[in-house]
Amino acid sequence: SGTLQITSDPKTTWSIQVEQDAPPMVQITSDFSADYFGASQLPYAAQDDFGVVSGRLLVDLDAALLDRRFGLIPDYQGPSTVEMPLAFSLRSLRTDMKAVAEQDFSESVWAHLPVRIRVEVTDGAGNTTLSEPLFTTLPARRFFDPLAASLIELRRDILWSSENDRRA
């Protein structure tokens, strides 16, 4: 903040007040949902005084709620967090936006398991904010044929831990 003065003729002076950039705000506005084929949608809203420039969806396995039976008995050998960049519409006003994160988690080892989901957004100044977590079951395609469901479960067990290879 201060004064800007141009000393030419005529002399001109402006008083400048600089406003500090506020961090963005983000919230998940509805539950995760999935269609018959497993495509998931997570509605969220984000606001920032100068505009949101990027974001990502963060998914963590909720190990406390995990039913540790069968192929889930061994320790998980994969990444602890799944990150997915958010795509923003070119037409959306990024100072006050409503959007939907879309992803098919059917191939994820965490499909139909308990997870914690958060949305993270960043503004142009580099300020980052996380939404309150949503605790849910990771939606994905359902298999109604018992043989198909069994094969998918065995696939999950193999991806879960190399200890499951022989059993599967």
Side-chain angles (χ1 to χ4, degrees):
S1 299
T3 303
L4 176 63
Q5 186 176 53
I6 297 177
T7 57
S8 64
D9 196 24
K11 188 174 180 182
T12 307
T13 303
W14 292 276
S15 178
I16 298 174
Q17 193 67 24
V18 177
E19 294 182 21
Q20 187 169 357
D21 184 41
M25 294 184 292
V26 63
Q27 65 181 3
I28 296 170
T29 58
S30 184
D31 284 337
F32 231 152
S33 63
D35 65 17
Y36 176 78
F37 298 103
S40 304
Q41 298 86 30
L42 180 67
Y44 67 94
Q47 299 87 30
D48 185 67
D49 47 359
F50 294 104
V52 174
V53 296
S54 66
R56 59 188 181 155
L57 188 67
L58 303 170
V59 182
D60 302 302
L61 185 65
D62 192 352
L65 295 178
L66 193 59
D67 185 6
R68 300 298 293 253
R69 298 187 297 159
F70 309 116
L72 302 180
I73 292 172
D75 289 334
Y76 176 60
Q77 294 178 342
S80 60
T81 300
V82 173
E83 299 178 14
M84 182 187 87
L86 297 175
F88 296 147
S89 167
L90 295 175
R91 297 178 303 160
S92 70
L93 183 62
R94 295 195 182 166
T95 56
D96 187 13
M97 60 187 273
K98 290 179 174 46
V100 176
E102 296 186 48
Q103 179 71 24
D104 185 352
F105 289 101
S106 295
E107 293 185 12
S108 171
V109 69
W110 296 346
H112 305 294
L113 294 180
V115 293
R116 175 183 71 162
I117 299 171
R118 295 166 295 155
V119 176
E120 178 185 82
V121 294
T122 304
D123 67 10
N127 298 313
T128 300
T129 301
L130 277 171
S131 69
E132 290 294 319
L134 171 66
F135 295 93
T136 189
T137 300
L138 190 63
R141 183 176 181 177
R142 295 224 177 257
F143 293 89
F144 299 103
D145 179 342
L147 180 59
S150 296
L151 288 172
I152 294 302
E153 184 175 340
L154 289 174
R155 176 189 171 276
R156 183 208 56 207
D157 292 352
I158 292 168
L159 292 172
W160 185 265
S161 172
S162 60
E163 293 178 36
N164 287 328
D165 291 355
R166 174 171 239 141
R167 183 183 142 287

